[in-house]
Amino acid sequence: MRKLIIWCALLVVNAALVPGSSAQVPTYRVDPIANFEVTTQPLGASDAGHLVGYQVIDGVSHPFVATLDEGLVILPLPEGAMAGLAMDVNSDGTVVGTISGNGFAWDSGAPAFWIRGTDGTYQPQLLDYPATVPALGQQMATSGGQVTAINDAGQMVGFVRIQGFMGGPSLLFSPTEDPINLRELGFQATATDLNNQGKVVGGGLMMDLATGEVTDLGIPAPHGGTPFTNVLAYAINNRDEVVAAADLASTVFENYLTYRFNGDDGWQPVNPAQLPSRYVGFYDNNDLGDISASGGVLFQDENVLVSGYASLLEPSFSSWEPSLGFIDNSRRVATTAISGNQNALVLLSPLTFGDADLDGQVNSGDLLQISDSYGLSGTVWAGGDFDRSGATEFNDLLLMAEHYDDPTPLAGLELAPALISDWLDALALQGLSAVPEAGSFQISAYPNPFNPRTVIHLSGLQGPAQGLVQVFDLRGRLVRTLHQGPILSPEFTWDGEDNSGNRVAAGPYVVVGTANGEAQVTKVTLVK
């Protein structure tokens, strides 16, 4: 549902930090969707994690849809078609774009969409469009067109192409009814995006499909004394906030700056320090008011602007160089990225504050991981510096406490005393109860540290018990299951091997014992 316009080159970003705290600005991980070795261009994305666009294969553009679960899927074309473009996608996975009978989808394609069947496959369908439209005082023949945007209600907008021209009147397309010419209703612009409230934008106009009302958004105030000639709106969120390229009148060449619009403040620059470019760039926004565009990435609530996503990656993903991308309401970003010789479609996902081991959970394993780093400077995310301040300290524990979800007692983890004290204070400040105290049984290990084996002992068991004894590494990954079922003996030996019989690396591990639904933990260390 979010769109970008095709550009000749990407703007070189000159971004500055807007005043405000960066504590809550996301830190991202990189999840590759699909590698590629041919020209691959994303054109749209949905809030459900779909990314669409085209790949150039043997000189011909082929439409695709990509998701983290299924990778990249080339969309089928009807018999006789050669090329196509996937321009946008909604949360149901319905894709819109254009299909061409020759290799020039941009110039000669017909409006089309792809719908996903119950079997998971996509089926292409061409859309009707008028053979002629009023233009230049006469009826002019059309030669196809494009569907540029679709919303979650299934409304589709785009344009019909006038013979000899790239663009023509904007249309509201339908799979079952005749298209509606929006130009005849007062929308004198090329439709580029559509929100879930049925508001269409293009050029400097916004139209409400429900009422037919067309709003002229005007132009921004002069920039450094230079007036703007026009704006080209490319993205609109569900709050009717618009992101656009504003065209300066300084030279005969285009000079674009990225501006945002809302009904209260009118037009405002996204990045006051941005330098003009003669090229239209990338534009997207989400319902939080965040903007991902040429000129920088603006996190609205935090009032923070950064030049791009590379500076926000967790250090273990720092080899990636992500491009600007489509930012959804969870602040996930669908884009392309490079790591060495690897080119990939990727999904950048915000890490949960407190998830030091990147296992998707905030629990006692994370506390154990950051225990040795607590109070130190020069730490990174994996060491507990969740607010990226350069040190692991109390503020990081406050962020962690907000997401903590683990009833396991801390006894046996050998956490640093200062960490335990501050952790309980952080929980209290978040209005959360303290971690449960030790229950009816305890878990211990001897010898510890050990080599080659240690004995895990469960003491204080009250009568027969069903139990589970497992060994995990500090990233929360299961290493070995020592016991599962009735507990007939309280002692279990671990020989330092994993479930496949391989000797594990020296270092600390966590042993979790569960009896009748109650869990206890202890830390053991395998030495060389």
Side-chain angles (χ1 to χ4, degrees), residues 220-278:
H223 174 79
T226 303
F228 289 94
T229 59
N230 64 291
V231 293
L232 301 173
Y234 289 120
I236 181 171
N237 65 14
N238 290 322
R239 302 195 307 193
D240 296 345
E241 297 168 331
V242 177
V243 182
D247 189 0
L248 281 171
S250 54
T251 71
V252 293
F253 298 106
E254 293 86 0
N255 288 271
Y256 292 107
L257 292 168
T258 303
Y259 269 68
R260 53 179 172 156
F261 175 91
N262 65 52
D264 294 329
D265 304 317
W267 289 107
Q268 299 293 328
V270 170
N271 176 10
Q274 182 185 1
L275 298 178
S277 168
R278 66 175 298 182

Side-chain angles (χ1 to χ4, degrees), residues 13-16 271 293 295-297 305-311 324:
V13 175
N14 260 319
N271 176 10
V297 179
L305 179 75
V306 296
S307 60
Y309 297 103
S311 64
L324 290 170

